[in-house]
Amino acid sequence: MFSRLREDIQSVFNRDPAARTFWEVLTCYPGVHAIALHRLAHWLWARGLRWPGRLVSHLGRFFTGIEIHPGATIGRRLFIDHGMGVVIGETAVIGNDVTLYHGVTLGGTSWNKGKRHPTLEDGVVIGAGAQVLGPITVGASAKVGSNAVVVKNVPSGATAVGNPARIIDNEQDQKREQMAGQLGFSAYALATNQDDPLAKAIHGLLDHAADADRRFELLLKKLEDAGVYVNGDLATADRFDPQYLSKIVD
């Protein structure tokens, strides 16, 4: 028990630059308190002492603002940063070296018995306010952005953001972006100041349309240089303003 507590405190130092002393972490970090109390509650629950397990869990919720069902399975070195409003359901399974920020819910979507809460594999990071719902799996070292709502599996190493959550950096997206670069425009308009993947996709479509306009004008000019003149609606089609549309999206 004490070796696990030392591990938990060291994990705080590894992942929170605000942590200063061992005593500060031991006495002032609700995530550490919640995990320690959960170990006791889970020990009681696993031995059939269901009411005492729930009582310890309830006391942990009262003192820390973190609600962990005593039936939840939690690995080593879980770090709950700030912690207020975190809810972890009965059949949730959490691997080693996982990080949860405040307001995270590992919840269920069914009233049926059995596995109904998420599984987080080793090294997962869940951002503040994110909701991970149902008997899904978030793969090792994956990340879930703040306020995301995740209802489908997240591959290992991927990042999921949005509501409903979308994967933004899996291998397929990387291949698409590489191909887009070869064509001379960014398919998803990736930029450091744009975090919403839907906005990225719309900006990418606008970039593509602007590039198509440019190529169409070049084609008409080449035809005219060759003595072929195009008349009618094809030659006088209205241009759209991608910059104006980009402002609307932003």
Side-chain angles (χ1 to χ4, degrees):
M1 177 178 177
F2 289 106
S3 63
R4 288 290 187 92
L5 182 59
R6 282 194 294 269
E7 270 192 351
D8 294 336
I9 293 174
Q10 185 58 48
S11 72
V12 173
F13 284 112
N14 293 339
R15 285 177 266 180
D16 185 4
R20 295 179 297 176
T21 66
F22 181 94
W23 182 248
E24 179 187 47
V25 173
L26 180 63
T27 57
C28 301
Y29 273 66
V32 173
H33 305 155
I35 295 167
L37 288 169
H38 171 72
R39 290 203 181 98
L40 174 58
H42 186 70
W43 185 88
L44 293 168
W45 184 269
R47 284 153 183 79
L49 302 172
R50 301 299 174 89
W51 181 84
R54 288 303 299 264
L55 179 61
V56 172
S57 174
H58 180 69
L59 290 174
R61 177 179 180 270
F62 179 80
F63 285 110
T64 67
I66 299 168
E67 182 172 342
I68 308 176
H69 193 284
T73 301
I74 296 178
R76 305 178 75 159
R77 298 176 296 278
L78 170 65
F79 176 41
I80 303 177
D81 196 7
H82 299 292
M84 181 61 69
V86 168
V87 176
I88 301 175
E90 177 186 5
T91 61
V93 178
I94 298 177
N96 300 324
D97 302 302
V98 170
T99 301
L100 306 179
Y101 288 86
H102 52 282
V104 167
T105 299
L106 305 183
T109 57
S110 169
W111 290 346
N112 297 326
K113 297 290 186 180
K115 176 67 171 168
R116 59 190 186 279
H117 297 96
T119 295
L120 310 184
E121 296 183 349
D122 296 349
V124 168
V125 178
I126 309 293
Q131 313 293 302
V132 186
L133 307 175
I136 63 175
T137 298
V138 180
S141 300
K143 296 178 176 61
V144 175
S146 298
N147 295 314
V149 179
V150 184
V151 293
K152 295 181 180 179
N153 293 336
V154 178
S156 298
T159 299
V161 299
N163 179 9
R166 298 173 290 277
I167 307 303
I168 64 172
D169 64 349
N170 59 13
E171 184 178 355
Q172 183 180 16
D173 282 342
Q174 292 172 2
K175 289 180 179 178
R176 287 174 179 171
E177 188 62 24
Q178 182 179 5
M179 179 59 67
Q182 294 174 0
L183 294 176
F185 64 95
S186 175
Y188 291 96
L190 294 179
T192 56
N193 61 345
Q194 294 175 353
D195 296 323
D196 182 7
L198 183 59
K200 291 178 184 177
I202 294 174
H203 282 302
L205 291 172
L206 294 175
D207 290 345
H208 182 37
D211 189 72
D213 251 5
R214 181 185 62 80
R215 296 185 180 203
F216 181 70
E217 286 186 354
L218 180 62
L219 180 60
L220 287 177
K221 186 175 184 306
K222 292 292 185 182
L223 289 173
E224 290 178 359
D225 291 343
V228 178
Y229 295 93
V230 179
N231 299 316
D233 294 339
L234 183 61
T236 60
D238 292 336
R239 287 179 57 89
F240 79 101
D241 186 352
Q243 294 183 351
Y244 171 73
L245 294 178
S246 290
K247 291 179 182 178
I248 295 176
V249 173
D250 292 334

